[in-house]
C-alpha cells in the first residue's frame, strides 16, 4: 500500500470512529486503532518474501502487540507466535495458537515456566548454560515433544539505539560465541544433548541496519554448520533468525521491506536458502507498527514563553519510549478537526503535551503543525506495535480502548473491539455517609 493510501485509510477510519462514537470529547478522549486489512497485507508480504520451497515459521513477537484478538488475527493469517513470558504464553494459547507454533524466548525462564512449556510441546530457546542444566533436570523425569535450541550472541555490535541492540559484546541475551571457551562448551553441549536441534540468534531491531542484522544471522548459520560437522550428522535442523526489521517512522512509506531483508540474507547467509534448515522468524514491530495509530482529543491550549502548547490525552502512558527518549523514538503528529478531517492551516511551531503530571510529558516539541484548538484531534501514526497495546500506568491513567478496523470495497468502515477502555477507579465515599 502506498504512503498516500495509508494516510487516506487512516483518515477514513478516524472519521468513522468519530461518527460511531468511538471517539467522543467527554467519554472516549483517547483510543488506539489497528487497520486489520493492513495487517493481513503486511503478513502476506512477509510470507511471499521467502521462497515457497523453504520451510518457514513466521512467529509474531507477541511483545509488540499482545492483545488476544490481534494475536487471533495473526494466527488466522498464517503466523505462529513468539512469546517472552508466562503471560505472553497464556495469551498465545488463548488466541488459539497450537503449542507447535509457539516459540518461548526469555532470559529469565523459571523452572515452572520451563516445565509448563515442555509439557505443552512449545519450542524453547535456552538463553544460558545454566538454563540448559535446568532443562536437563526436567527432561530427566519427563518426556517432551518440544523442539529445543540455544540462543547464541554473535557479538557483531550495536546499531544506533543501544537499548535495541542485542548482539553487542556485553549483551544480556544468549551465550556469546566469541567469549573464550564458549564455542567449545557449546559444541560439547550439543554433543551431550541430542535433543538440542535449534540454533537461535537475534541481533536487534530499531536502529540496527540490515547488514548488521544479517551478518549476525550468518554467524549463527555458520555455527549451526559447525555443530553438524563436529557431530558428523545433521542434528541441528532449524535456525531461528529472530526478527528486528527496522521501521520507517519518518513517513508512510514501508521501508525497508521484507523482500529487501531477504536479499540481504541471501548475500550474507546463502545456506539458509539451500533447504537444509527449517527457518523461524520473530518479527513484531515491522508487522504491526505502520498498521496502527493513536487518536486523542486536545483538552486545552495555552501559550507559554511565546510558544503554543496543546494539552492532549495522549502522553507517556501510551507513548512511553517517545516521551522518555524522543531522539531515539520520534513520532509524527497529524492535526485533525473535531470531525476527524485533516487540518491544512498554516504551520505553527507548537508543543503537543500529554496528560501526565510531569513536565517532560511531551509527544512533540516545537513541532510545525496547523494550530491546534480545543476539541481538535491529534493522530499519532505508526503506533500499532507497543505504544497503546502496552500502556504505562503512570498517574493511574486508564488503558484506552483499542479498535480493529476493516474497510470494505464500498469504503464502509466496520470496527471490532480489541480491548475495552479501562474504567477509572471510583472514589470511595467518605466513612459514615
Amino acid at each position: 500500500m502506498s504512503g498516500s493510501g495509508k494516510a487516506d485509510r487512516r483518515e477514513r477510519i478516524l472519521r468513522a470512529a468519530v461518527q460511531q462514537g468511538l471517539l467522543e470529547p467527554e467519554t472516549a478522549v483517547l483510543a488506539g486503532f489497528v487497520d486489520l486489512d493492513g495487517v493481513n497485507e503486511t503478513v502476506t508480504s512477509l510470507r511471499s518474501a521467502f521462497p515457497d520451497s523453504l520451510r518457514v515459521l513466521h512467529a509474531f513477537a507477541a511483545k509488540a502487540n499482545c492483545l488476544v484478538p490481534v494475536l487471533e488475527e495473526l494466527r488466522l493469517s498464517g503466523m505462529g507466535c513468539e512469546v517472552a513470558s508466562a503471560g505472553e504464553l497464556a495469551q498465545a494459547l488463548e488466541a488459539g495458537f497450537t503449542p507447535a507454533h509457539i516459540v518461548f524466548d526469555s532470559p529469565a525462564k523459571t523452572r515452572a515456566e520451563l516445565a509448563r512449556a515442555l509439557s505443552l510441546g512449545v519450542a524453547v530457546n535456552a538463553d544460558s548454560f545454566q538454563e540448559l542444566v535446568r532443562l536437563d533436570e526436567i527432561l530427566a523425569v519427563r518426556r517432551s515433544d518440544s523442539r529445543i535450541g540455544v540462543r547464541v550472541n554473535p557479538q557483531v555490535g550495536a546499531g544506533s539505539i543501544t537499548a535495541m541492540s542485542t548482539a553487542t559484546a556485553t549483551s544480556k541475551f544468549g551465550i556469546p560465541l566469541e567469549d573464550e571457551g564458549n564455542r567449545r562448551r557449546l559444541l560439547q553441549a550439543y554433543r551431550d544433548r541430542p535433543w538440542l536441534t535449534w540454533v537461535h540468534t537475534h541481533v536487534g531491531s530499531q536502529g540496527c541496519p540490515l547488514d548488521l542484522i544479517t551478518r549476525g544471522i550468518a554467524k549463527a548459520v555458520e555455527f549451526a554448520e559447525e555443530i553438524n560437522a563436529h557431530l558428523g550428522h545433521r542434528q541441528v535442523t532449524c535456525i531461528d533468525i529472530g526478527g528486528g526489521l527496522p521501521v520507517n517512522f519518518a513517513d508512510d512509506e514501508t521501508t525497508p521491506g521484507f523482500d529487501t531483508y531477504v536479499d540481504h540474507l541471501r548475500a550474507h547467509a546463502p545456506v539458509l536458502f539451500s533447504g537444509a534448515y527449517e527457518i523461524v522468524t520473530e518479527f513484531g514491530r515491522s508487522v504491526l507498527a505502520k498498521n496502527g495509530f493513536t487518536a486523542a482529543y486536545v483538552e486545552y491550549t495555552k501559550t507559554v514563553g511565546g510558544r503554543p502548547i496543546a494539552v492532549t490525552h495522549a502522553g507517556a502512558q501510551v507513548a512511553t519510549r517517545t516521551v522518555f527518549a524522543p531522539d531515539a523514538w520520534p513520532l509524527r503528529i497529524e492535526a485533525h478537526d473535531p470531525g476527524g478531517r485533516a487540518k491544512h492551516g498554516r504551520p505553527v511551531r507548537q508543543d503537543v503535551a500529554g496528560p501526565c503530571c510531569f513536565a517532560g510529558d511531551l509527544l512533540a516539541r516545537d513541532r510545525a503543525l496547523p494550530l491546534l484548538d480545543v476539541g481538535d484531534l491529534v493522530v499519532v501514526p505508526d503506533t500499532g506495535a507497543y505504544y497503546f497495546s502496552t500502556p504505562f500506568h503512570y498517574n493511574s491513567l486508564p488503558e484506552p480502548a483499542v479498535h480493529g478496523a476493516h474497510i470494505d470495497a464500498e469504503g464502509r468502515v466496520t470496527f471490532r473491539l480489541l480491548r475495552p477502555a479501562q474504567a477509572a477507579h471510583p472514589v470511595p465515599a467518605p466513612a459514615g455517609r
Side-chain angles (χ1 to χ4, degrees):
M1 187 188 304
S2 69
S4 60
K6 282 185 178 292
D8 290 344
R9 289 179 67 86
R10 193 160 54 242
E11 183 168 337
R12 188 180 294 272
I13 291 168
L14 180 69
R15 293 175 65 175
V18 173
Q19 292 164 5
Q20 297 183 36
L22 304 183
L23 287 166
E24 201 279 327
E26 294 296 329
T27 59
V29 295
L30 170 68
F33 296 89
V34 178
D35 181 348
L36 297 175
D37 301 315
V39 172
N40 284 321
E41 288 181 16
T42 300
V43 174
T44 297
S45 72
L46 168 59
R47 297 178 68 185
S48 63
F50 286 78
D52 291 338
S53 58
L54 299 180
R55 297 165 295 148
V56 185
L57 171 65
H58 296 295
F60 175 74
K63 65 179 74 66
N65 191 316
C66 56
L67 303 181
V68 170
V70 172
L71 297 180
E72 288 176 341
E73 291 279 344
L74 292 163
R75 175 179 59 80
L76 293 172
S77 72
M79 293 198 78
C81 192
E82 183 266 341
V83 301
S85 71
E88 288 179 2
L89 174 56
Q91 289 161 332
L93 293 169
E94 185 180 351
F97 289 98
T98 61
H101 291 99
I102 299 174
V103 181
F104 188 17
D105 298 321
S106 165
K109 307 179 197 73
T110 67
R111 285 184 175 83
E113 290 167 359
L114 285 170
R116 173 159 169 72
L118 293 174
S119 70
L120 290 169
V122 167
V124 173
N125 285 316
D127 198 76
S128 65
F129 288 115
Q130 291 178 353
E131 188 175 336
L132 283 176
V133 173
R134 287 190 179 181
L135 289 168
D136 288 337
E137 294 166 355
I138 296 168
L139 292 171
V141 296
R142 71 172 62 183
R143 176 184 175 283
S144 175
D145 292 327
S146 294
R147 296 177 294 172
I148 305 173
V150 175
R151 178 170 181 168
V152 297
N153 174 5
Q155 295 176 290
V156 290
S160 61
I161 306 175
T162 303
M164 295 291 106
S165 301
T166 56
T168 61
T170 57
S171 171
K172 75 175 187 179
F173 290 103
I175 296 175
L177 270 180
E178 303 304 328
D179 280 18
E180 185 177 356
N182 276 357
R183 189 176 295 265
R184 174 185 53 78
R185 289 182 67 191
L186 278 167
L187 290 173
Q188 189 61 46
Y190 277 86
R191 178 174 290 281
D192 294 342
R193 299 169 175 87
W195 40 264
L196 276 181
T197 59
W198 282 25
V199 167
H200 170 45
T201 196
H202 179 60
V203 172
S205 54
Q206 199 65 20
C208 291
L210 291 188
D211 276 343
L212 179 72
I213 291 171
T214 49
R215 279 196 293 110
I217 291 169
K219 288 188 69 172
V221 173
E222 290 166 4
F223 184 60
E225 293 278 273
E226 183 179 348
I227 294 167
N228 288 338
H230 177 74
L231 299 179
H233 64 277
R234 299 196 69 80
Q235 180 170 309
V236 175
T237 57
C238 178
I239 302 178
D240 182 339
I241 62 176
L245 187 70
V247 170
N248 166 35
F249 285 97
D251 55 42
D252 278 321
E253 295 302 322
T254 301
T255 56
F258 293 113
D259 52 351
T260 303
Y261 170 83
V262 169
D263 288 342
H264 280 72
L265 278 180
R266 286 186 186 276
H268 288 285
V271 173
L272 274 180
F273 298 88
S274 68
Y277 296 98
E278 180 184 358
I279 301 169
V280 174
T281 71
E282 299 178 356
F283 294 107
R285 181 181 294 107
S286 53
V287 174
L288 260 295
K290 301 196 81 65
N291 292 310
F293 67 91
T294 305
Y297 280 99
V298 176
E299 191 67 37
Y300 296 106
T301 61
K302 61 180 74 172
T303 299
V304 179
R307 190 159 74 205
I309 299 175
V311 180
T312 80
H313 288 278
Q317 86 278 31
V318 289
T320 312
R321 287 174 173 172
T322 295
V323 168
F324 288 108
D327 293 336
W329 298 99
L331 286 172
R332 292 178 289 148
I333 306 291
E334 297 175 343
H336 293 256
D337 69 17
R341 290 172 290 273
K343 298 184 72 169
H344 298 290
R346 178 179 63 85
V348 175
R349 302 201 74 83
Q350 58 197 297
D351 290 350
V352 181
C356 297
C357 195
F358 65 95
D361 185 28
L362 297 170
L363 287 180
R365 294 169 171 80
D366 197 24
R367 186 74 59 86
L369 295 165
L371 187 63
L372 290 164
D373 298 314
V374 172
D376 282 346
L377 284 158
V378 294
V379 164
V380 189
D382 306 331
T383 51
Y386 304 97
Y387 290 99
F388 57 71
S389 64
T390 47
F392 172 39
H393 292 160
Y394 194 87
N395 284 147
S396 297
L397 287 164
E399 297 181 357
V402 179
H403 304 279
H406 286 289
I407 303 178
D408 67 17
E410 284 72 43
R412 291 185 296 263
V413 182
T414 57
F415 292 99
R416 176 189 179 190
L417 183 62
L418 304 178
R419 182 181 69 201
Q422 183 182 24
H425 295 294
V427 177
R433 300 186 85 183

